[in-house]
Amino acid sequence: KHRQNIVRLMMAEHPESCIVCSKGNRCELRQIAAQLGVGEIDFYPMPNFKPFEQLNPFIIRDLSKCILCGKCIRADHELVVIGAIDYSHRGFQSRPATLHETPLEGSRCTFCGTCVSICPTGALSPKNLFYVGTPETESDSICGFCGAGCALSLGTAGGRVVEVNPSRSDFTVNGATLCVRGHFAHDYIHTSDRLTQPMIRHPAGNAAKDDQSGKISDHAHVTWEAVMNEITEKLSAVRRQNGPGSLAFIGSTRCSNEENYLFQKIARVIFGTSNVVSGGRAMGQNLISQIEEKTYGLNRACPLSNLENAEAILVVHANPDHLAPVADYHIKRAAKNGVPLVVIDARRTNLAAMASAWLRPELNDVAGCVYGDLICCLEAQLLRENVVDYDFIEKYTDGFAEFRAFLDGIDIAQTTRICGIKPEFIQKAAGHLAGRKIAVVIGPDLLHLPGGQGALDALFNLVLMTGSIHEKGAGFHVPVGENNLIGSMDMGVGPDLLPGRRSFKDDNHRSLLEHFWRATLSPDPGLDLVGFIEAVEKGAVKAAYIMGENIVCSLPQTERVAAALQKLDFLIVQDVCYTQTASLAHVLLPGAVMAEKSGSFTNMEGRIQTFAPAI
C-alpha cells in the first residue's frame, strides 16, 4: 500500500507526455505503476515546472520527469567513477546537478551517456533532431570505435539508427556503460559523404559533378561489372609485368574477421604476394606480438573484468581514458574499491589522480629509457625487501642469478635523481606492489618511444619475478584504439603472420595452408607499413589495395604518405566515407559499417563477438 501511494504521488507530479517521450513504452515508472495496479490518478495534480534544457550537444534534460531515483548519480560515481553530478538543493528544488550547477561542458563529465541509458523515465534523453519516441526495433551489435568491443543495442526506425544503448545481454565487457563515441557518434552511418556505389577516377583534369551528391568530384559512378573488370585487368597486368612483389594489400583493424581473412587470402592465393599488412602495425600490433611470444600465448585471453579482482595494478605510459574508456572504467572501479594502483607516466592522466603512487619522470628525449630505469628500480627495491615469488622463479625461469646481480648494482638514489623523482617514491610504489600479483596495463605506443623495448623487457622481468603470469587478475593488458586489431592479427593480416597467428617464417605453417588452400604461397617476406611507403617511393610497388584504412591521416609524415600513394600506377581504396586516402584512389569501392553487415570482431581481451545487420 505504501508503494502504491508513493507511485501515485510520483504520477501526480509527472507530466503526461508519454507519446512524445524518448522512453515511451520503455518507461520504468509506467511499468512499476502497471505492476502495482496504479492507473488513473485520483490525487490533485501537482505540476512542478522545470525548464527544458538543451545546453550541450548530446543530452537533453527535462527535470519535470525526474523522480529523484538517483540512478544517474550512482552510475556517475560507481560505474564510470567520474563524480561530475550529485544531489543539489532540497524539497521541490532537489535535482541531480553539477557543482554550482555549471554546464556539463564545464564539469568533469565525459558525456559517456551512461546516465541517459540508465534513466528510467526520460528525464535524460539523447539529443535527436529527427526522431522522438521508442525505436521501431532494437538489435544487438558490437561497437566499432575501440578495442574494448562494447556490446550495443541499436534502436532503429525508418531504416536509420536513431538511438544507441548498452546491450542488455549478460557478461558483456561494458555492462551498463559506454563512452561518448559508442553512445552518440553514430551519425556517420547516414552522412552524405558515405560511399554507396563504386567509382572510377576521371581522366586528368576532367572533374565532374556527382549526380547523387551534387559535389564536384574527381570520381564518377560506374557499374559493379565495369569496376570489377577494371580492377581485374589492372592488377593482373601489374603482376604480369612486374611480379607479385609489385602488389601490396593494406587490410584493416576496423573490418571484421571474415573480411580480413578473405582479404589476405586474395593477396596470397590469387595474386601470390606476401605484401599483406594492416594499419595496426603502427597502433600496438608489434607490442602485442612480443607479449604473445614472451608469454607463449598465455596472455591471449585476458578479461578486463579481471582488473577489478587484481591484487595490484601497474599502469605504464597508458591513457585508456582516450583509447578504450571502458578499460579505464574497470581500472578506476578497482582503485575506488581499494586495489593499489601505481602509475608510471610523464603525463598527468585521469588515472594518475586516483593512483596510490604516481611516478612522474621528467620529460626528455629518452622517455622510454626513463620508464625502463624506473621499473628496474622497482624490481631492485622489491628484491631488497625480499618480496619476490621464489617458487615461481625457480620453477619457470632461467638466469635469475645474473638478473639479481644486475639489480644489486642499481643505485636507486642516483637513478631516480636522473629521472627527476625522489627515491622515497620508489619505496612507496614498491610497497603497494610487494607480495601481490600484478596486472600490468601498457600503452600501445610504448615501443615507439626511445628505449621503449628496454621498458617492455623490464616489465616482463617484473611480471616474472612476482609470478604474475597466468594468474586471474594479473598479466598484461594493452588498451588499443582499433576495434579489431587482435582479430586482424588472428586472421593473418600482417607480413609476419598467417591465419591463426601462425608464423609466416615457419615452412611447416606455410605448407599446411598451401595444403588447405591448394595453392603455392610466396616464401618472400612481406613489407610492413614503413617498408610499403619506401617501396612505393622507389617504384618497387606499383599497385595497392587499401581496405578500410585512411593511412594518409593515420600515419605520420602525411605529405610524404600522400605523395607516395600518388606515384602508384593503380590504387584501389575501399572505405565507408570519402577520406583523404580515398581522394587519391583510381578506383573507389564502398564499404559497410557494422550496423549494416554481419560478422565478428575480436576485442582486446581476446573475446570473439558476433554481430548481425540492424539496418
Side-chain angles (χ1 to χ4, degrees):
K1 185 177 179 180
H2 282 308
R3 294 184 69 208
Q4 285 180 328
N5 284 333
I6 291 170
V7 171
R8 290 167 66 202
L9 288 166
M10 285 183 179
M11 298 292 281
E13 187 184 17
H14 208 68
E16 296 179 354
S17 56
C18 298
I19 294 177
V20 293
C21 178
S22 63
K23 287 296 179 179
N25 295 324
R26 299 168 297 171
C27 177
E28 292 182 35
L29 179 60
R30 287 180 58 188
Q31 292 173 7
I32 292 174
Q35 292 167 6
L36 294 175
V38 177
E40 187 174 353
I41 306 302
D42 52 1
F43 285 152
Y44 183 82
M46 297 181 292
N48 181 16
F49 174 76
K50 295 183 176 70
F52 195 69
E53 300 176 12
Q54 301 184 64
L55 302 180
N56 64 75
F58 303 114
I59 301 170
I60 295 174
R61 186 168 73 158
D62 184 0
L63 288 176
S64 65
K65 299 175 184 175
C66 180
I67 58 172
L68 296 177
C69 64
K71 281 188 173 183
C72 57
I73 295 171
R74 289 191 61 195
D76 176 39
H77 288 245
E78 298 174 25
L79 295 183
V80 298
V81 197
I82 293 293
I85 59 174
D86 211 326
Y87 280 118
S88 183
H89 302 296
R90 294 189 177 192
F92 279 108
Q93 296 302 316
S94 183
R95 63 180 66 194
T98 59
L99 183 65
H100 305 308
E101 299 206 51
T102 58
L104 282 176
E105 298 94 311
S107 72
R108 299 173 60 193
C109 176
T110 61
F111 295 99
C112 67
T114 303
C115 58
V116 176
S117 295
I118 217 161
C119 178
T121 63
L124 299 172
S125 60
K127 182 177 289 187
N128 196 322
L129 301 178
F130 54 86
Y131 189 83
V132 175
T134 307
E136 295 171 2
T137 60
E138 289 187 342
S139 307
D140 282 348
S141 188
I142 304 299
C143 183
F145 279 111
C146 80
C150 295
L152 305 178
S153 176
L154 300 180
T156 61
R160 295 176 64 100
V161 174
V162 297
E163 186 177 274
V164 177
N165 287 300
S167 170
R168 295 177 180 84
S169 302
D170 295 328
F171 310 114
T172 63
V173 62
N174 54 303
T177 64
L178 286 176
C179 72
V180 64
R181 291 170 292 183
H183 206 124
F184 299 108
H186 52 82
D187 51 350
Y188 76 97
I189 298 174
H190 308 291
T191 179
S192 59
D193 288 334
R194 282 293 303 271
L195 298 175
T196 58
Q197 290 183 357
M199 304 173 76
I200 291 181
R201 177 182 290 278
H202 289 288
N206 292 334
K209 181 176 287 188
D210 181 15
D211 293 336
Q212 287 192 349
S213 66
K215 297 178 180 179
I216 301 299
S217 171
D218 292 331
H219 298 83
H221 288 100
V222 294
T223 65
W224 278 102
E225 182 180 8
V227 80
M228 287 302 171
N229 289 336
E230 177 83 359
I231 291 172
T232 304
E233 291 172 5
K234 291 291 179 64
L235 290 183
S236 299
V238 170
R239 185 182 185 278
R240 280 194 307 270
Q241 295 169 11
N242 304 284
S246 62
L247 301 174
F249 288 74
I250 316 298
S252 177
T253 55
R254 296 176 179 85
C255 291
S256 70
N257 289 325
E258 293 74 18
E259 289 164 338
N260 275 297
Y261 175 81
L262 292 172
F263 188 75
Q264 62 84 33
K265 191 175 179 183
I266 288 172
R268 290 182 167 124
V269 175
I270 295 179
F271 291 101
T273 180
S274 300
N275 296 331
V276 181
V277 68
S278 78
R281 298 294 291 183
M283 307 298 177
Q285 199 174 90
N286 287 339
L287 174 63
I288 293 169
S289 294
Q290 286 202 36
I291 293 173
E292 168 94 357
E293 180 181 356
K294 289 175 179 291
T295 60
Y296 298 97
L298 289 176
N299 201 77
R300 183 173 292 188
C302 203
L304 287 172
S305 58
N306 285 356
L307 287 167
E308 296 188 50
N309 300 315
E311 296 180 14
I313 301 174
L314 174 63
V315 179
V316 179
H317 191 66
N319 190 8
D321 177 52
H322 289 177
L323 289 173
V326 167
D328 189 65
Y329 304 160
H330 282 287
I331 297 171
K332 289 194 291 189
R333 287 199 292 264
K336 186 174 185 291
N337 293 330
V339 176
L341 172 62
V342 176
V343 174
I344 303 178
D345 205 321
R347 305 162 298 178
R348 182 185 294 275
T349 63
N350 286 343
L351 292 178
M354 299 188 67
S356 309
W358 176 23
L359 304 182
R360 187 184 190 184
E362 292 180 354
L363 285 173
N364 52 52
D365 58 352
V366 289
C369 181
V370 170
Y371 290 147
D373 289 342
L374 289 179
I375 296 163
C376 288
C377 286
L378 281 176
E379 293 166 345
Q381 186 66 33
L382 290 172
L383 186 63
R384 291 167 193 181
E385 295 178 8
N386 203 31
V387 284
V388 297
D389 191 337
Y390 288 106
D391 291 338
F392 183 93
I393 291 170
E394 183 177 355
K395 190 173 182 180
Y396 295 110
T397 70
D398 291 319
F400 180 67
E402 295 86 345
F403 180 60
R404 181 169 196 156
F406 163 72
L407 293 182
D408 287 340
I410 291 178
D411 186 334
I412 294 178
Q414 181 180 357
T415 303
T416 52
R417 184 168 60 254
I418 294 172
C419 295
I421 66 172
K422 298 179 180 179
E424 52 264 33
F425 283 25
I426 290 291
Q427 297 174 6
K428 180 181 178 182
H432 290 297
L433 302 178
R436 295 181 170 95
K437 306 301 181 187
I438 305 170
V440 180
V441 181
I442 311 175
D445 59 340
L446 179 67
L447 293 182
H448 297 180
L449 300 175
Q453 184 62 57
L456 177 61
D457 292 341
L459 280 171
F460 193 71
N461 286 330
L462 176 64
V463 168
L464 286 177
M465 68 186 293
T466 56
S468 303
I469 289 183
H470 206 45
E471 293 279 345
K472 186 174 182 179
F476 293 96
H477 297 268
V478 182
V480 294
E482 286 67 39
N483 64 301
N484 204 30
L485 176 67
I486 305 299
S488 67
M489 295 174 66
D490 290 341
M491 297 302 108
V493 183
D496 55 344
L497 295 171
L498 293 170
R501 286 205 213 177
R502 296 177 175 91
S503 172
F504 178 86
K505 300 175 184 178
D506 192 312
D507 294 339
N508 292 328
H509 291 168
R510 287 203 310 276
S511 298
L512 181 66
L513 287 172
E514 287 176 338
H515 170 72
F516 284 137
W517 288 341
R518 297 183 178 89
T520 301
L521 301 183
S522 170
D524 299 328
L527 300 170
D528 60 15
L529 275 177
V530 175
F532 163 68
I533 299 298
E534 292 174 345
V536 174
E537 291 173 333
K538 295 174 183 176
V541 170
K542 303 288 186 182
Y545 184 167
I546 301 176
M547 176 182 72
E549 288 287 348
N550 184 12
I551 62 173
V552 173
C553 181
S554 62
L555 292 182
Q557 300 184 32
T558 297
E559 294 180 358
R560 178 182 176 183
V561 174
L565 294 182
Q566 289 175 313
K567 290 183 179 180
L568 288 168
D569 294 343
F570 191 58
L571 173 62
I572 309 164
V573 173
Q574 183 171 10
D575 213 329
V576 172
C577 296
Y578 194 78
T579 64
Q580 295 96 319
T581 304
S583 67
L584 305 176
H586 298 91
V587 169
L588 284 175
L589 297 177
V593 300
M594 50 83 188
E596 301 166 335
K597 62 188 178 185
S598 60
S600 63
F601 293 140
T602 306
N603 76 346
M604 57 181 285
E605 302 174 309
R607 183 193 302 225
I608 302 171
Q609 304 180 99
T610 60
F611 54 92
I615 52 175

